[in-house]
Amino acid sequence: MSAHYPDLNGRTALVTGGADGIGRAVVEALTAQGARVGFIDVAQQAGEALERVLATQGHKVAFAHADLRDVDATRNAVAHLRETLGPISILVNNAGHDERHRFEDVTEDYWDDRFAVNLRPMMFVSQAVAPDMRALGGGSIVNLGSTSWMQGAAGLIAYTTAKSAVIGFTRSLARELGEAGIRVNCVTPGWVMTDRQREKWFTPEKWEAAQARQSIKGEIRPEDVAAMVLFLASGAARMCSGQNYIVDAGVV
Ligand SMILES: NC(=O)c1ccc[n+]([C@@H]2O[C@H](COP(=O)([O-])OP(=O)(O)OC[C@H]3O[C@@H](n4cnc5c(N)ncnc54)[C@H](O)[C@@H]3O)[C@@H](O)[C@H]2O)c1
């Protein structure tokens, strides 16, 4: 079941990490609403393949290959997508990487690298698109968080720490940009069954444990998260800003 937001039709959106997982579902959901969607990803083949499929279906879509850890390359990718699709009024800061690591093994470089993928792009991509949104009289920025830090998950402390900072970033950015009519929110997924999760981290034991904690049983799918992103991107959420919206099937 999917909602229809007529005001998304014809608007330009930018999604980071849009080639796979939740980002791909967001790209597909936005194009289905008639939005013009640019997405950035380090996964070149997957990005080009998705661009091809959606373009063949008649959607306005553009892929830019970049590693978001490289701020200059990222700025160039944003500029390219703006040139191709027009000024950006929706930004979904989705890219993230939940690589596991032992606390004892974390080096300074590794710590910085994890922040360079999980937090820093939110700052510099937001900075790159904010002038578009100001000129358009408003916009919506959605940042992807994670419940992992709320649970105090072990085995990925650089990831959980960066993800917890997404909340603070969201609240401050909402104040920075609010007077320009730009709303900034965080969407925090629970355990979402992406291809990567299935391949890398799924075990029957983890699944059982997750199901026991969820109030609503069953799989949380990328589309379930994309549905919340669509709402926040649209004018239906015109008075929602600076908040965190959790999509975790009611974990208690
Ligand atoms: N899947 C989950 O259970 C879950 C749970 C909580 C939070 N999240 C968050 O949701 C967001 C999406 O996660 P996902 O599960 O869809 O991940 P995913 O690994 O399935 O997809 C992430 C996408 O980002 C891209 N990406 C990764 N590093 C990049 C880089 N340096 N430069 C450019 N692109 C890069 C990947 O190539 C991929 O296409 C992330 O912010 C993640 O932290 C996911």
Side-chain angles (χ1 to χ4, degrees), residues 16-23 40-43 66-69 93-98 117-118 122 144-148 159 163 188-197:
T16 68
D20 206 353
I22 294 167
I40 299 173
D41 208 293
V42 72
D67 187 331
L68 291 154
R69 289 175 295 184
N93 280 314
N94 161 79
H97 199 241
D98 64 349
V117 64
N118 287 308
M122 294 196 179
L144 269 287
S146 168
T147 54
S148 55
Y159 174 83
K163 282 293 178 184
T188 291
W191 193 23
V192 181
M193 284 303 126
T194 59
D195 294 345
R196 177 177 162 84
Q197 295 300 314

Side-chain angles (χ1 to χ4, degrees), residues 124-209:
F124 292 103
V125 179
S126 300
Q127 195 183 60
V129 305
D132 288 19
M133 295 184 180
R134 282 186 194 281
L136 291 165
S140 174
I141 298 176
V142 181
N143 303 318
L144 269 287
S146 168
T147 54
S148 55
W149 68 268
M150 298 172 180
Q151 296 157 11
L156 68 175
I157 193 165
Y159 174 83
T160 56
T161 307
K163 282 293 178 184
S164 70
V166 174
I167 303 282
F169 176 71
T170 297
R171 290 189 68 76
S172 288
L173 193 62
R175 295 297 291 177
E176 293 277 353
L177 301 179
E179 284 181 15
I182 302 168
R183 297 180 293 102
V184 186
N185 289 288
C186 180
V187 170
T188 291
W191 193 23
V192 181
M193 284 303 126
T194 59
D195 294 345
R196 177 177 162 84
Q197 295 300 314
R198 282 186 215 284
E199 281 159 23
K200 302 271 298 188
W201 316 127
F202 182 94
T203 64
E205 296 73 32
K206 275 194 197 155
W207 171 256
E208 287 307 322

